[in-house]
């Protein structure tokens, strides 16, 4: 049975994808008003027959909501009908607190796929990853289940449990039991980081680290507070970590991009009509005064994350590192229907400043850095150097301490058992050291800050020499007079 479910989970997206592509190639044939009226009469007839003839007592509200959901789901994976309860839950979630597992999902060709787990939530702690397929919720198959139905089944009273069947990277299905919790989303976490391999080296510049888990109503405020704090600490540059960030409010993405830009276009949205184009621009004032920025993305970075990465990339304001992003380049809007319910519908595509559509393509990093595990093959202190000679001359200016050498030797002599230590029990510094993408991003920020500092010193030196030259010429002219 498990093997059958596994084959279904793997093959179904490809079969549906082929069918979807074939369908997309067919031109849209619009109905006349008379034909639309005839089809609506047919829909009413289907409703009446189903209600009267179904073997059990039919729930009319459920039937009608299902019809509306099916109608919108036929457009794209992100359009849906929101009942009054769904709409309220959506707004509660957007304002920073909601109940459930802390997992962002999407409909993927009839299946439910994880866009990203949210940091520090039951889903993230259980090891669910971006790209995983959910095949069952509490033993019930989710194929062709609407997103709202799937979300409702995963939500529940805090402290209760739910079983998810997960397919990860083509492996056999795995059943996970997760405990529901109140999800309090703090969008922005920040810290001042240094090289994890040289914690005692005061000469290395400190890096401002900004981890943004999603784009909610409080994200801009949290970002401004974080930048204010880190700027006081005089960090050399910033790593903006948007990995596994599923997106959120468009306005929050625009405001975040604006914080790092001194001008230029951020994003444009283009609707159904050719004239339906809206462009958003950055206001003057870079909150970090031109310091270098590296943006980290991966396949779990979607929507609003891609807007920020694309805006900073196209404006030449940041280097984007990591792996190809998710590729959700569409904008959704809630249209209330007057009775507490609403429609969540795709109204436009968004484009980066250079005119690139991200839909189905994603953001391509300037420097591809895939998450890797690095094995140390050489000791920091080489086995054979000038210093190994018994009678070699000492370096009086050396600031290295025996204590730091001992630390290095301990690090290089780690056993295989240490490498298998539970990741969740590690300190933040140890986690940083294992995060290959983060380490490479920090290296890049240091290099850029050093390069920028040298250029700045060169410019100031040239200005100073020009000033001295002008003063000398003025003095000579005065003497001649």
């Amino acid at each position: 049975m498990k093997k059958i479910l596994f084959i279904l989970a793997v093959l179904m997206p490809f079969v549906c994808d082929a069918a979807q592509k074939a369908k997309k190639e067919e031109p849209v044939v619009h109905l006349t008003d008379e034909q639309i009226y005839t089809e609506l009469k047919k829909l009413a007839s289907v409703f009446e027959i189903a209600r009267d003839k179904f073997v059990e007592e039919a729930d009319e509200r459920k039937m009608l909501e299902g019809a509306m959901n099916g109608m919108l789901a036929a457009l794209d994976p992100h359009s849906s009908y929101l009942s009054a309860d769904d709409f309220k839950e959506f707004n509660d979630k957007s304002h920073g607190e909601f109940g459930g597992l802390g997992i962002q999902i999407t409909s993927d060709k009839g299946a439910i796929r994880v866009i990203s787990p949210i940091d520090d939530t039951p889903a993230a702690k259980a090891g669910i990853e971006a790209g995983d397929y959910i095949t069952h919720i509490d033993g019930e198959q989710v194929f062709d289940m609407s997103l709202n139905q799937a979300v409702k089944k995963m939500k529940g009273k805090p402290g209760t449990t739910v079983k998810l069947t997960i397919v990860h990277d083509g492996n056999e299905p795995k059943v996970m039991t997760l405990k529901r919790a109140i999800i309090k989303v703090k969008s922005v976490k920040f810290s001042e980081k240094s090289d994890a391999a040289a914690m005692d080296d005061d000469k290395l510049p400190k890096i401002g680290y900004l981890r943004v888990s999603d784009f909610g109503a409080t994200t801009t405020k949290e970002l401004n507070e974080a930048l204010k704090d880190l700027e006081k600490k005089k960090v050399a540059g910033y790593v903006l970590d948007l990995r596994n960030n599923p997106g959120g409010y468009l306005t929050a993405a625009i405001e975040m991009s604006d914080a790092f830009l001194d001008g230029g276009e951020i994003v444009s949205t283009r609707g159904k009509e050719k004239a339906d184009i809206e462009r958003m621009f950055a206001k003057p004032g870079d909150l970090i005064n031109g310091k270098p920025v590296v943006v980290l993305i991966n396949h779990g970075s979607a929507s609003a994350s891609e807007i920020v990465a694309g805006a900073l990339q196209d404006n030449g304001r940041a280097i984007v590192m990591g792996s190809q992003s998710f590729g959700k380049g569409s904008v959704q809007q809630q249209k209330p229907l007057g009775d507490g319910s609403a429609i969540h519908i795709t109204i436009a595509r968004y484009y980066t400043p250079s005119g690139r559509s991200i839909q189905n393509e994603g953001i391509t990093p300037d420097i591809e850095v895939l998450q890797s595990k690095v094995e140390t093959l050489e000791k920091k202190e080489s086995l054979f150097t000038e210093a190994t000679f018994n009678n070699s001359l000492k370096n009086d200016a050396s600031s290295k301490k025996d204590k730091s050498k001992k630390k290095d030797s301990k690090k290089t002599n780690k056993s295989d058992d240490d490498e298998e230590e539970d990741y969740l029990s590690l300190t933040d510094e140890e986690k940083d050291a294992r995060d290959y993408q983060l380490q490479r991003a920090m290296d890049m920020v240091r290099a850029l800050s050093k390069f920028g500092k040298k250029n700045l010193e060169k410019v100031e030196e040239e200005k100073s020499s020009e000033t001295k030259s002008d003063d000398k010429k003025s003095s000579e002219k005065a003497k001649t007079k």
Side-chain angles (χ1 to χ4, degrees), residues 372-421:
S372 308
K373 181 180 177 182
V374 179
E375 181 182 357
T376 304
L377 301 177
E378 182 182 35
K379 290 184 178 180
K380 188 174 180 181
E381 299 296 330
S382 178
L383 295 175
F384 184 68
T385 66
E386 173 71 13
T388 59
F389 290 109
N390 291 329
N391 60 343
S392 64
L393 297 176
K394 304 300 179 188
N395 187 334
D396 294 334
S398 176
S399 60
K400 291 182 180 178
K401 299 176 183 178
D402 292 336
K403 185 179 178 182
S404 63
K405 286 182 181 179
K406 286 178 182 177
K407 279 188 178 182
D408 291 334
S409 64
K410 283 181 182 178
K411 287 175 184 174
T412 55
N413 290 328
K414 278 189 175 182
S415 67
D416 292 336
D417 291 336
D418 293 330
E419 292 297 325
E420 295 173 2
E421 185 180 1

Side-chain angles (χ1 to χ4, degrees), residues 448-465:
L448 290 171
S449 66
K450 191 174 182 181
F451 180 73
K453 187 178 179 182
K454 282 186 177 179
N455 277 353
L456 184 62
E457 288 172 352
K458 188 178 179 182
V459 170
E460 288 176 350
E461 190 178 323
E462 287 173 355
K463 283 182 180 178
S464 178
S465 63

Side-chain angles (χ1 to χ4, degrees), residues 6 74 146 165 196 208 213 223 258 262 276 283 289 300 310 316 319 351 422 467 480:
F6 169 67
S146 73
T165 305
S213 59
L223 175 73
D258 195 3
D262 195 31
D276 189 11
K283 299 184 288 292
N289 303 308
I319 288 179
Y351 293 75
D422 182 11
T467 304
T480 303

Side-chain angles (χ1 to χ4, degrees), residues 34-59:
E34 186 179 348
Q35 287 172 323
I36 291 171
Y37 179 69
T38 301
E39 291 301 314
L40 287 174
K41 280 177 66 179
K42 188 192 293 184
L43 178 64
S45 296
V46 169
F47 170 78
E48 288 174 4
I49 293 169
R51 180 185 58 178
D52 295 340
K53 301 297 183 182
F54 184 60
V55 67
E56 294 180 0
E57 193 170 353
D59 185 331

